[in-house]
């Protein structure tokens, strides 16, 4: 492939960048998998947290609209904590998660308030790695060769086909998440809009939407 030829010629910059991107992807994977996605803490812990982070809570209150008077914040029937708005209990994690997006089986963790930006970073790096890997695999395939010669590269051909499948999945997942972020909504809210009380009784279709630019700024910055 092109990377092999560059390595043989002593041109190690691109192969080194590729290896660093793969390493970065792996580190992001473990970071997103192992970190707290935003588990709702007990009321005692939350009170201390609010006291120690008063300024942060004031900023968050500016972002999250007030709960309509006809909506009562309920206590979770599973972990018995008072659920803040946009939180949901995950049966697999056995916790309520703030700004719950979805439970990702690939990382075996929820995607929520704390790890959602890193999840987007992971998908972006992974997409770059897959595209680069697909190009490297394609550069090593020569279809004008005989079938007997091509059979010796069957591993490369299978790798390329797998890369194409994974690239399509990651690309669609990244695009869908960026769209939802630009609207300031989550996968759970988008899929279950008709079942969520604070969305059902809201005068606006999406009470959290503050415009694309501000939504992206609030999420990433």
């Amino acid at each position: 492939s092109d990377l092999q030829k560059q390595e043989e010629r002593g041109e190690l910059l691109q192969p080194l960048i590729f290896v660093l991107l793969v390493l970065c992807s792996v580190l992001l994977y473990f970071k997103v998998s192992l970190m707290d996605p935003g588990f709702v803490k007990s009321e005692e812990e939350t009170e201390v947290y609010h006291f120690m982070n008063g300024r942060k809570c004031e900023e968050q209150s500016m972002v999250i609209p007030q709960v309509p008077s006809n909506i009562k914040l309920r206590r979770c029937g599973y972990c018995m904590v008072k659920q803040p708005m946009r939180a949901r209990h995950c049966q697999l994690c056995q916790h309520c998660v703030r700004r719950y997006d979805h439970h990702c089986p690939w990382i075996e963790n929820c995607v929520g308030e704390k790890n959602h930006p890193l999840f987007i970073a992971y998908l972006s790096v992974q997409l770059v790695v897959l595209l680069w890997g697909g190009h490297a695999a394609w550069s090593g395939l020569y279809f004008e060769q005989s079938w007997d010669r091509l059979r010796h590269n069957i591993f490369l051909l299978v790798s390329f086909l797998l890369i194409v499948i994974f690239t399509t999945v990651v690309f669609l997942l990244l695009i869908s998440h960026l769209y939802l972020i630009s609207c300031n909504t989550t996968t759970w809210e988008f899929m279950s809009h008709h079942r969520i009380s604070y969305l059902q009784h809201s005068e606006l279709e999406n009470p959290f939407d503050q415009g694309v630019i501000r939504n992206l700024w609030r999420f990433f910055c």
Side-chain angles (χ1 to χ4, degrees), residues 25 35 140:
S25 174
M35 73 180 296

Side-chain angles (χ1 to χ4, degrees), residues 9-214:
R9 292 196 300 264
E11 301 172 1
L12 298 177
L13 180 59
Q14 289 195 26
L16 181 60
I17 294 175
F18 180 75
V19 171
L20 290 176
L21 281 173
V22 173
L23 181 61
C24 179
S25 174
V26 173
L27 292 176
L28 281 171
Y29 172 81
F30 283 109
K31 177 66 175 177
V32 175
S33 299
L34 299 175
M35 73 180 296
D36 175 4
F39 294 135
V40 179
K41 302 178 181 180
S42 64
E43 292 176 345
E44 293 79 14
E45 291 176 327
T46 304
E47 289 175 359
V48 174
Y49 177 80
H50 285 182
F51 177 78
M52 297 295 292
N53 298 274
R55 182 179 178 184
K56 182 176 181 181
C57 292
E58 289 177 5
E59 293 174 353
Q60 287 182 344
S61 65
M62 295 172 63
V63 179
I64 301 176
Q66 295 295 320
V67 185
S69 57
N70 59 337
I71 299 177
K72 294 182 179 180
L73 296 183
R74 67 186 186 89
R75 187 177 296 276
C76 177
Y78 296 97
C79 51
M80 302 308 295
V81 298
K82 191 170 290 187
Q83 281 187 340
M85 189 157 38
R86 309 193 81 177
R88 183 173 186 260
H89 183 85
C90 176
Q91 296 279 13
L92 297 174
C93 292
Q94 294 298 312
H95 284 285
C96 287
V97 180
R98 292 180 180 273
R99 201 182 181 277
Y100 175 86
D101 188 87
H102 71 287
H103 183 91
C104 180
W106 178 247
I107 64 173
E108 274 300 318
N109 196 10
C110 281
V111 176
E113 184 179 73
K114 290 186 177 180
N115 67 347
H116 201 170
L118 273 181
F119 182 73
I120 298 300
Y122 164 68
L123 289 179
S124 302
V125 174
Q126 189 68 50
L127 182 61
V128 173
V129 170
L130 286 167
L131 289 172
W132 198 340
H135 176 266
W138 178 262
S139 67
L141 293 173
Y142 299 96
F143 293 101
E144 66 273 11
Q145 297 175 355
S146 65
W147 173 247
D148 290 335
R149 186 72 180 274
L150 192 61
R151 280 192 304 176
H152 294 288
N153 293 325
I154 190 66
F155 176 76
L156 194 61
L157 181 60
V158 172
S159 298
F160 175 75
L161 294 176
L162 288 175
I163 288 174
V164 169
I165 294 173
F166 286 127
T167 301
T168 303
V169 172
V170 172
F171 175 76
L172 293 176
L173 189 60
L174 179 60
I175 292 299
S176 64
H177 272 275
L178 290 176
Y179 168 74
L180 294 175
I181 291 167
S182 69
C183 300
N184 196 1
T185 189
T186 64
T187 303
W188 173 56
E189 291 171 341
F190 182 78
M191 300 294 291
S192 306
H193 187 279
H194 60 287
R195 296 194 292 114
I196 301 174
S197 58
Y198 59 80
L199 295 179
Q200 283 180 326
H201 297 88
S202 174
E203 296 178 358
L204 302 173
E205 184 177 353
N206 180 10
F208 306 105
D209 188 6
Q210 297 180 320
V212 175
I213 302 299
R214 181 171 287 188

